[in-house]
Amino acid sequence: MKDTYRKAMEIWEVPEVFYEAAIPMYRDHEAELAVRFGRDPVSGQEICRLLREWGKEEAERLLFESYQRNVLEKCQDDISKETFYRMTDFYSRYPYFAQYEPEAYGEFTQETVDRLNEWDLKVYMDRTAQAALAIAAGQDVPMHQTQYLTLQESFDMMDTLGEELIILPCNCKAMGRCTEKPVNVCINKLVKGPNTPYDRKLGTILTLEETKKLIRRINKKGLMQSGENNVLCNCDGVYCYPTKMARILGTRLHYPTSHYETLWDEDLCVQCGKCTRICNFEAFYKDEAGKVKFDPEKCWGCTICSANCPKGAISLKKRVTEPGSDLTENR
């Protein structure tokens, strides 16, 4: 490995075990910029000047591509309000590589991907597990994907976000190389400003009506709606980091919070098996005789089964919660 890259890896905070894996995620001039400036802010003009000095044509394009790929992020001087750029770390860069450079990511061996994701999940949990546990204990703390939403609640949430929304690839599914379910499913309020997908020219802008149709389609494919504020995630039971973390922490029903109890009327069930195909937790399953069964102890209360039962055999009952207490069910 070139000495420049080795120094850059330290600046990007790449674990040494991933030095070789990280090389395809960066370009030579980005490593040189990292060594030159470290993580200090630097103006776009200075970056472009150096790129030209190094014989790089279209310096402005290269600068934007580094920003678009989240090798660089924008920051603002508190006094002058001038915009500068600075290097991100490896933890910030890796998901962008998986999301937006899938062909290059596809060159990685599965063993490398598994090791990267094991490390990435650990960092994620180091940063978020305490907040998840606080939410599970009934505390109101800032966090993402804190609750499951019904299909109608998801539509209602979209109504508050404006007439245009932006759809992005799910970082969890992209990093996990998901192929069995849709990946382009993260829905965000369209926000314009530094370091937003819009400013980086990423994602797809959809109308409100197009977004609701997308939610309905992916709900039918077994993706669970969760979120709050300006983001709606459409999660699964295999790749989703909050779900993985919740399994490790043992916070089923509490984080992500379930607001509804799932009720199954066996007499109304026509044994179509759709619930068994879309359930992310095997709460609905088929027994040895091929009959649909329901195990409420495995249910996470995500609600997608009720929206997809053709005969109304699956219904929801609102749970009752009291501030600071465990989540209880209204029976």
Side-chain angles (χ1 to χ4, degrees):
M1 179 188 296
K2 295 179 181 178
D3 188 53
T4 299
Y5 263 96
R6 185 169 296 278
K7 292 178 180 177
M9 294 294 172
E10 295 177 2
I11 293 163
W12 292 323
E13 299 179 14
V14 181
E16 189 169 358
V17 67
F18 295 131
Y19 277 11
E20 292 299 325
I23 289 177
M25 301 187 198
Y26 297 94
R27 299 172 181 174
D28 289 350
H29 63 272
E30 292 168 343
E32 292 169 358
L33 288 170
V35 172
R36 174 69 69 94
F37 298 111
R39 300 285 289 279
D40 294 333
V42 58
S43 70
Q45 292 89 337
E46 177 64 10
I47 291 174
C48 289
R49 186 192 67 78
L50 278 172
L51 290 175
R52 294 190 190 96
E53 185 178 296
W54 296 339
K56 304 294 183 181
E57 298 181 0
E58 300 184 75
E60 287 80 6
R61 176 181 61 81
L62 294 178
L63 171 61
F64 176 75
E65 288 178 354
S66 293
Y67 171 59
Q68 184 180 51
R69 294 164 51 247
N70 203 28
V71 174
L72 294 173
E73 63 182 359
K74 289 182 179 178
C75 55
Q76 192 175 66
D77 183 85
D78 292 337
I79 299 174
S80 69
K81 304 302 180 185
E82 183 180 352
T83 296
F84 291 87
Y85 293 86
R86 64 184 170 202
M87 287 286 163
T88 63
D89 61 14
F90 182 64
Y91 179 73
S92 301
R93 167 62 181 138
Y94 169 50
Y96 272 70
F97 180 70
Q99 286 170 283
Y100 301 108
E101 299 172 54
E103 290 186 7
Y105 189 52
E107 296 295 319
F108 285 13
T109 66
Q110 190 60 48
E111 188 268 340
T112 296
V113 168
D114 290 343
R115 288 191 299 113
L116 279 166
N117 290 336
E118 182 181 4
W119 164 80
D120 195 72
L121 178 62
K122 182 181 183 302
V123 177
Y124 172 81
M125 288 191 62
D126 287 345
R127 299 184 180 191
T128 61
Q130 289 305 310
L133 288 170
I135 291 168
Q139 299 176 35
D140 183 13
V141 298
M143 183 63 175
H144 59 280
Q145 289 170 259
T146 62
Q147 61 182 334
Y148 291 122
L149 302 174
T150 66
L151 190 59
Q152 185 58 54
E153 288 170 345
S154 300
F155 292 159
D156 293 343
M157 177 182 172
M158 294 301 98
D159 288 335
T160 70
L161 301 185
E163 287 299 319
E164 287 188 321
L165 300 106
I166 190 165
I167 315 302
L168 306 168
C170 169
N171 55 341
C172 301
K173 295 179 186 62
M175 290 187 293
R177 289 176 164 173
C178 174
T179 57
E180 63 273 24
K181 291 184 178 180
V183 174
N184 201 39
V185 296
C186 284
I187 301 171
N188 292 248
K189 179 181 175 66
L190 183 58
V191 177
K192 303 176 183 180
N195 302 317
T196 62
Y198 180 87
D199 197 47
R200 285 186 161 119
K201 300 188 186 309
L202 298 172
T204 303
I205 297 175
L206 297 181
T207 66
L208 175 60
E209 188 59 32
E210 289 171 334
T211 302
K212 288 183 177 180
K213 288 180 180 179
L214 171 65
I215 295 171
R216 186 68 185 99
R217 288 197 303 271
I218 58 185
N219 177 276
K220 287 182 176 181
K221 292 181 179 293
L223 292 183
M224 308 173 287
Q225 286 65 59
S226 68
E228 55 286 299
N229 302 324
N230 295 329
V231 179
L232 179 74
C233 293
N234 294 281
C235 307
D236 68 281
V238 176
Y239 304 98
C240 173
Y241 271 31
T243 302
K244 287 182 177 181
M245 178 168 65
R247 280 198 173 100
I248 294 169
L249 298 177
T251 56
R252 181 181 74 95
L253 304 182
H254 302 272
Y255 173 83
T257 304
S258 168
H259 298 294
Y260 296 93
E261 178 188 1
T262 304
L263 304 177
W264 178 57
D265 189 330
E266 189 170 3
D267 293 334
L268 291 178
C269 180
V270 295
Q271 297 292 316
C272 70
K274 188 167 188 178
C275 55
T276 67
R277 293 191 293 274
I278 67 171
C279 181
N280 286 274
F281 306 104
E282 299 182 343
F284 282 98
Y285 65 98
K286 289 187 177 182
D287 64 12
E288 293 180 356
K291 294 289 187 180
V292 172
K293 297 294 181 183
F294 174 57
D295 183 353
E297 295 303 314
K298 291 184 178 180
C299 179
W300 286 51
C302 74
T303 78
I304 62 171
C305 54
S306 64
N308 289 284
C309 180
K311 297 298 181 180
I314 304 173
S315 60
L316 304 174
K317 177 182 282 190
K318 188 77 173 178
R319 300 182 191 272
V320 175
T321 61
E322 296 180 3
S325 68
D326 286 341
L327 184 150
T328 58
E329 298 179 354
N330 182 18
R331 296 184 181 274

